[in-house]
Amino acid sequence: MSLILALDFGGTKLAAAIAHANSQEWLSYERCLSPANANASTDLEIMRSLIHSLLQELKPTAIGVSFGGPVDANTGTVKLSHHVPGWENIPLQKLLADEYGVSVSVDNDANVAALGEYRYGAGVGYDSLFYITVSTGVGGGWILNGKPWRGANGMAGEIGHIVVDPAGPICLCGKRGCVERLASGPYMALDVREWLETRGRGDGETRGRADGETWGHGDGETRGRGDRETRGRGDGETRGHGDGEILRGLVEGNLELITGKIVSEAAMQGDELAQDILHRSAWALGVGIGNVANLINPQRFVLGGSVTKAGEGFWQVIRQVARETALPEINFEVVPAGLGDHAPLWGAVALALDTL
Amino acid sequence: MSLILALDFGGTKLAAAIAHANSQEWLSYERCLSPANANASTDLEIMRSLIHSLLQELKPTAIGVSFGGPVDANTGTVKLSHHVPGWENIPLQKLLADEYGVSVSVDNDANVAALGEYRYGAGVGYDSLFYITVSTGVGGGWILNGKPWRGANGMAGEIGHIVVDPAGPICLCGKRGCVERLASGPYMALDVREWLETRGRGDGETRGRADGETWGHGDGETRGRGDRETRGRGDGETRGHGDGEILRGLVEGNLELITGKIVSEAAMQGDELAQDILHRSAWALGVGIGNVANLINPQRFVLGGSVTKAGEGFWQVIRQVARETALPEINFEVVPAGLGDHAPLWGAVALALDTL
């Protein structure tokens, strides 16, 4: 029986697992955080030890690999990692094929996760879908006609860097108002921190929300468009967000500790600043998804990543703004990913099976 | 030798042509404007007479049809026309197949034109491309892996209704700042007309452009982003555009006569208002194209339609804004369509050939 080895080189963690070809359960699974000063060599060494502990004396039939960064999927050569140095132009597919003597297939994590969700997760039966992951960044992967669509030079799926608000804040990529700049965890944390530092407690600028809306209890109207009409509301420049007391409390006043996850937590506890920032994140994703629906008209959008665990209110805003942004004739669904953090590994299984 | 009959049901005109299967020249070509009170029946009657005059006693081997409106390409049933009443749910493919006794294929004009450019025009050799037409509306059609991509329910390619400026003017579709709202001919004419009517001659509001840029002589900086930073500049709300004298002159003071074409003409003659409006059109197309490059990474963008004849300055802005909007790793080209108004007819030939 075919034994598939699946590897996931993430930005901050390494994971590996084995499964039989016809199974949807792991025979065995191992993971390990990347060390603080990781480079390509240490990542490879750690992965080798995970593989050894999984396989013991077994030999895999094929290997599939998800890599957290741009990859030339034709040759399986890593272009670079945005998190770990030393990955520039590493021929990962050839390296593993030589080492283990079996067929290997490598692709970037968003494409692989899309394939995983398509074969084993929330995309089963949907021949055209767009998978979006929203966590430290915002990335995406395509399935079109039942196969991965990688683009002419392997760069398709970059929904994180489509512009949804040309008057929005500046992203590291140089543009204003990218989806990633508005929707990703670290940027949400940054904006919250900045707001608390510059316009915080008792400076007379804060005031309650004029519209009296509460997060997660939609009245059928989303705030996104209105936000843009009164310009800058989302940035906290022309209105208050409450006083962020819950946020401050969660990090005991140490604003450096604020993360995307803390923002979600504070929003669920009723913090208005956190709710507004999460609302803007959901609005940006909704505009992005609606635009993608207009352009490509896939059957399904599958959303995963830590930020998407922000609660039902977050999903309501995404779905409503996406529906308003897409033309009324265009049908689509926006659903949560089914495989969670294992989507890249299951996608790697599918990649490996496709080489047989 | 195979004789192909190509039909183009446009919104305002009807055209038909015949060609041999291996040829790239028409054997014969006919066209006719739709009458003022056209409906589906009159359109079909006119088309029958065009066909009769083309074919005489000949019998075509296959028929391809471009239709100006949404079509179910699987069944060849027209959903509706936005311009001509009576087309709702007309089974055009079956109707023609019964009448002429040959295989017939029908699709909407943007998809068909994309196929035409791919097989015979500016897209030859490019297996992934996006065709965009910019005239009375803004539409698009996909070629992916060498084949039309129509979307899960046949609605892919609607670049005209992706939002590029959520603070922009309201489109007929209900959203703000769609590409079509900013880039299409009739909307440019509308905005120019409105500006001239409300803030026109000698009211003291107009002033020269602060940045001293001249249309078509790019200094390597585009104005789009800046426009958004100072908000509303593109709408003429916080700055002047010169006095529109050239525009007024071209229509002899009758503002109702202003069209997209007149705006282009005035811009070429140096009218600053016209140049600003055209700049905003090019900016919107550039953001749209850059976003599409990030999402799908096609090799080529092929642009046709009357508005794209606005001159080299227009193309420079599109290309530069698209380049700035796309991630630097993403390669693409933006080129003019090669077949002009004949793109749908040549695409219809390709459609017909694919049925053989």
Side-chain angles (χ1 to χ4, degrees):
Chain A
M1 191 183 294
S2 293
L3 182 71
I4 306 299
L5 173 61
L7 310 180
D8 177 11
F9 291 85
T12 56
K13 65 159 183 40
L14 299 154
I18 47 174
H20 283 131
N22 56 353
S23 164
Q24 296 194 26
E25 278 180 35
W26 299 126
L27 283 172
S28 182
Y29 169 89
E30 294 277 353
R31 62 175 278 174
C32 178
L33 290 180
S34 256
N37 294 312
N39 58 40
S41 298
T42 60
D43 271 7
L44 278 166
E45 266 319 302
I46 294 169
M47 192 58 95
R48 280 191 189 95
S49 77
L50 297 184
I51 294 170
H52 183 73
S53 101
L54 287 172
L55 289 176
Q56 307 289 344
E57 301 308 313
L58 295 171
K59 188 176 155 69
T61 317
I63 303 177
V65 183
S66 167
F67 187 86
V71 170
D72 179 337
N74 291 322
T75 62
T77 300
V78 171
K79 291 178 185 168
L80 64 104
S81 160
H82 293 290
H83 301 278
V84 180
W87 276 108
E88 293 76 11
N89 302 313
I90 298 285
L92 185 56
Q93 178 177 313
K94 182 174 185 312
L95 205 146
L96 293 168
D98 289 351
E99 199 162 329
Y100 295 93
V102 297
S103 64
V104 179
S105 185
V106 184
D107 200 353
N108 90 65
D109 51 358
N111 290 344
V112 177
L115 186 60
E117 290 288 341
Y118 172 56
R119 291 282 177 81
Y120 304 105
V124 171
Y126 294 83
D127 271 2
S128 64
L129 66 86
F130 192 45
Y131 169 82
I132 306 174
T133 171
V134 192
S135 55
T136 49
V138 176
W142 283 106
I143 299 292
L144 296 178
N145 282 330
K147 286 187 295 198
W149 170 260
R150 300 179 173 100
N153 63 315
M155 290 294 294
E158 289 283 2
I159 189 174
H161 295 287
I162 72 167
V163 174
V164 291
D165 184 0
I170 292 179
C171 179
L172 201 64
C173 79
K175 288 174 294 179
R176 287 183 175 273
C178 297
V179 171
E180 179 162 308
R181 178 61 186 82
L182 299 170
S184 69
Y187 273 124
M188 284 198 292
L190 174 76
D191 289 344
V192 159
R193 213 179 292 132
E194 219 160 64
W195 198 90
L196 288 172
E197 278 165 0
T198 58
R199 273 157 292 193
R201 205 174 346 213
D203 63 359
E205 272 191 73
T206 54
R207 52 192 160 84
R209 286 186 294 183
D211 51 12
E213 285 182 66
T214 54
W215 178 255
H217 296 80
D219 56 357
E221 283 220 14
T222 55
R223 279 168 281 163
R225 193 168 296 170
D227 282 356
R228 304 309 343 150
E229 284 178 28
T230 54
R231 292 184 188 168
R233 269 173 66 178
D235 310 321
E237 290 184 63
T238 59
R239 64 185 298 218
H241 300 277
D243 56 8
E245 275 313 302
I246 295 169
L247 263 167
R248 284 184 200 279
L250 285 172
V251 294
E252 296 175 352
N254 183 351
L255 302 185
E256 291 306 312
L257 298 181
I258 293 175
T259 60
K261 196 163 174 234
I262 299 275
V263 174
S264 294
E265 180 59 34
M268 290 206 215
Q269 293 186 24
D271 189 284
E272 289 188 355
L273 170 57
Q275 290 175 351
D276 281 0
I277 290 286
L278 262 176
H279 183 280
R280 194 183 58 170
S281 166
W283 172 84
L285 288 165
V287 173
I289 288 170
N291 282 343
V292 172
N294 286 334
L295 282 166
I296 293 293
N297 184 18
Q299 294 164 287
R300 241 185 195 198
F301 292 85
V302 177
L303 271 62
S306 56
V307 174
T308 64
K309 293 165 189 160
E312 199 41 48
F314 187 80
W315 283 86
Q316 275 178 22
V317 175
I318 291 178
R319 289 192 175 111
Q320 193 162 342
V321 173
R323 191 57 274 170
E324 289 169 1
T325 302
L327 291 175
E329 301 90 331
I330 297 180
N331 304 325
F332 60 91
E333 295 170 304
V334 184
V335 303
L339 304 173
D341 294 345
H342 285 201
L345 279 176
W346 282 111
V349 170
L351 265 190
L353 288 171
D354 289 349
T355 69
L356 297 181
Chain B
M1 189 183 293
S2 293
L3 182 71
I4 306 299
L5 172 61
L7 310 180
D8 177 11
F9 291 85
T12 56
K13 65 160 184 40
L14 299 155
I18 48 175
H20 283 132
N22 57 352
S23 166
Q24 296 194 25
E25 277 179 37
W26 300 125
L27 284 172
S28 181
Y29 169 90
E30 295 277 353
R31 63 174 278 174
C32 178
L33 290 180
S34 256
N37 293 312
N39 58 41
S41 298
T42 61
D43 272 7
L44 278 166
E45 266 319 302
I46 293 170
M47 191 59 95
R48 280 191 190 98
S49 75
L50 296 183
I51 294 170
H52 184 72
S53 101
L54 287 171
L55 290 177
Q56 307 289 342
E57 300 307 311
L58 295 171
K59 188 177 153 71
T61 317
I63 303 177
V65 184
S66 166
F67 186 86
V71 170
D72 179 337
N74 291 322
T75 62
T77 300
V78 171
K79 291 179 185 167
L80 64 106
S81 159
H82 292 290
H83 301 278
V84 180
W87 275 109
E88 294 75 12
N89 303 313
I90 297 285
L92 186 55
Q93 178 177 310
K94 182 174 184 311
L95 204 146
L96 292 168
D98 289 351
E99 198 160 329
Y100 295 94
V102 297
S103 64
V104 179
S105 186
V106 184
D107 201 353
N108 90 65
D109 51 359
N111 290 343
V112 177
L115 186 60
E117 290 288 341
Y118 172 56
R119 291 281 178 80
Y120 304 105
V124 171
Y126 294 83
D127 271 1
S128 64
L129 67 85
F130 193 44
Y131 169 82
I132 306 175
T133 172
V134 192
S135 55
T136 48
V138 177
W142 283 106
I143 299 292
L144 296 178
N145 282 328
K147 286 186 295 195
W149 171 260
R150 300 180 173 100
N153 62 314
M155 290 294 296
E158 289 283 2
I159 189 175
H161 296 287
I162 72 169
V163 174
V164 291
D165 183 359
I170 292 179
C171 179
L172 200 64
C173 79
K175 288 176 292 180
R176 286 183 176 274
C178 297
V179 171
E180 178 163 307
R181 178 61 187 81
L182 300 170
S184 68
Y187 272 124
M188 286 198 290
L190 174 76
D191 289 344
V192 159
R193 212 178 294 131
E194 219 160 62
W195 197 90
L196 288 173
E197 278 165 2
T198 58
R199 273 157 294 193
R201 201 167 358 204
D203 63 358
E205 273 191 71
T206 55
R207 51 192 161 83
R209 284 187 295 186
D211 51 12
E213 284 182 67
T214 53
W215 178 254
H217 297 80
D219 55 356
E221 284 221 15
T222 55
R223 279 169 281 164
R225 195 167 297 171
D227 282 357
R228 307 303 349 147
E229 284 179 29
T230 54
R231 292 183 187 169
R233 270 173 66 179
D235 310 321
E237 292 184 64
T238 61
R239 63 183 300 219
H241 300 278
D243 57 8
E245 275 313 302
I246 295 168
L247 263 167
R248 282 183 201 279
L250 285 172
V251 294
E252 296 175 353
N254 183 352
L255 303 185
E256 290 306 313
L257 298 180
I258 293 175
T259 61
K261 195 161 176 238
I262 299 275
V263 175
S264 295
E265 180 60 32
M268 292 206 214
Q269 293 186 24
D271 189 283
E272 290 189 354
L273 171 57
Q275 289 175 352
D276 282 1
I277 290 285
L278 261 176
H279 183 280
R280 195 183 59 169
S281 167
W283 172 84
L285 288 166
V287 173
I289 288 170
N291 282 343
V292 172
N294 286 335
L295 282 167
I296 293 292
N297 185 19
Q299 294 164 287
R300 243 185 194 199
F301 292 85
V302 177
L303 271 62
S306 56
V307 174
T308 65
K309 293 165 190 159
E312 199 40 49
F314 186 80
W315 283 85
Q316 275 179 23
V317 174
I318 291 178
R319 289 193 174 109
Q320 193 163 341
V321 173
R323 189 58 274 168
E324 289 169 1
T325 303
L327 291 174
E329 301 91 332
I330 297 180
N331 305 323
F332 60 91
E333 294 170 305
V334 183
V335 304
L339 303 174
D341 294 343
H342 285 201
L345 279 177
W346 281 110
V349 170
L351 265 190
L353 287 171
D354 289 349
T355 68
L356 296 180

